[in-house]
Amino acid sequence: MEIRTRFAPSPTGFMHIGNLRTALYAYLYARHSGGKFILRIEDTDRERYVDGAVEVIYNTLRTAGIEHDEGPDKDGGCGPYVQSERKEIYKKYAERLVELGGAYYCFCTKERLESLTDANGVRKYDKHCLNLGKEEVAARIAAGEPYVIRQNIPATGKGSYTDLVYGEITVDYEDLEDNVLLKSDGMPTYNFANVVDDHLMGITHVIRGTEYLSSTPKYNLIYDSFGWKRPQYMHLPPIMKDEKRKLSKRYGDANFEDFVKKGYLPEAIVNFIALLGWSPKNNTEKMNMAELINSFGIEGISKSSSIFDEVKMRWLNCQYVKELDLQTFNRYAVPYYEKSKVKGKYDYMKLSRILSGRTEIFGDIPDHVNFLEEYGPFDVALFEHQKTKTTREIALKAIDGALSALSGLEEWTNDGIYALLGGLCEGLGIKKGQMFWAVRIAVSGREVTPGGATELAEILGKEETLRRLEFAKELLSNR
């Protein structure tokens, strides 16, 4: 049997991390099993439809490296893959389900439905239209009376199935409601469309969140009514914002696109998401897509919820950034230089040289480089350094010597500056650590910088470096 999984998002906005994890697990399971991964757009809820959201889905999957085998843009013979284009299919099967006794026509008005609400605000349909005769139903439809088609859930009994993650699940039918399957506008609800589509598209494994654990028996009743084989189910534990709150798309939590804009590498985000609810047998944390596919298995999926820890994701992203060659790092970094105060003022490749081993996410870059354009009066106490035993007097001697020597340096490179300043130390009677500490403070005005004294000097250029050394010398002389 060929394994066929699907991802069926609703185009209602950005791609939530929870949705992307569902897509990722479905993709990994299909690829690991040598099967097919199908993309289906569930756009029947027109009130929540957001223009441009379908393109967001495509872009997100593409950026994440999740490639579907069939979908709206890749017909595999089971299309259309957009639910709004399958309206007649749902109507046919809904009417057939009525004939089989698994559903019935309902003509109840909005007012009557609202009257069913109890004192606790709970509303449950009372099967009022279940026993309408065929002739009455036909007459009311012919008269143009609005109707929906509802599922006929047994009043008693239990529905059971085996979930691949949570094991045996049993639900009392009395706890379920005769939900609408086909709305008055002829569009299906999720409760019906997902079953019809999964069957017709040959989906063998349905992978989704635990919020569907208790409603799955409703879907199984539909499969059983038609005499269709039930798929296997794999329900995924929730991703939590903290110990009490779930991540919520409604409140803008964990948007994949936003993390990319913040400067996270897509492959690092995907790697991190994969570990939110699953772990490989060898407990490896950093894995590329090929390694994830090779390692993925149901046995590694946890039944417990996972907390979205951005600190951990930053760490993981840093591991990926460290592996980038300089050219690639610079390509990712340029847009963030362009957003900073150094825009267009320095050689970006030189900046990347000092940042490539010191960056967790690219969004940090403006904060790392803005100091270059924020130079001004600073506390001369910064020159005092216990580890190198640098004092203000030693710093002044180092800066005075550096000014004299650097003013005559023609080849302004990091190596040239380093060699020149290092060679001065013995004659000045100071240590190299004292020289480089003093010069770094002088040219940056900061105790902590992403690069050393000579790296910063090369980036700043000869004229600006000498100007800053003069400024620092004056600060020390007037202390």
Side-chain angles (χ1 to χ4, degrees), residues 124 153-157 171-177:
K124 183 177 180 180
I153 304 287
T156 60
V171 176
D172 289 330
Y173 287 137
E174 64 179 3
D175 294 333
L176 303 177
E177 182 181 7

Side-chain angles (χ1 to χ4, degrees), residues 241-272:
K241 186 182 185 74
D242 52 40
E243 291 183 355
K244 296 181 179 180
R245 297 176 296 170
K246 291 173 65 174
L247 284 180
S248 171
K249 182 174 180 179
R250 179 177 300 175
Y251 300 113
D253 288 335
N255 178 345
F256 176 79
E257 285 188 317
D258 282 349
F259 282 126
V260 173
K261 290 175 183 176
K262 281 182 181 180
Y264 286 91
L265 293 170
E267 54 267 40
I269 303 174
V270 169
N271 188 164
F272 177 72

Side-chain angles (χ1 to χ4, degrees), residues 162 198 203-206 220 223 228-233:
T162 301
D198 285 345
I203 304 303
T204 61
H205 292 72
V206 172
N220 286 337
Y223 280 105
W228 295 340
K229 182 180 179 180
R230 299 179 183 181
Q232 295 192 65
Y233 297 103

Side-chain angles (χ1 to χ4, degrees), residues 393-405:
E393 290 73 19
I394 291 175
L396 181 59
K397 184 185 294 187
I399 290 170
D400 195 39
L403 266 169
S404 299

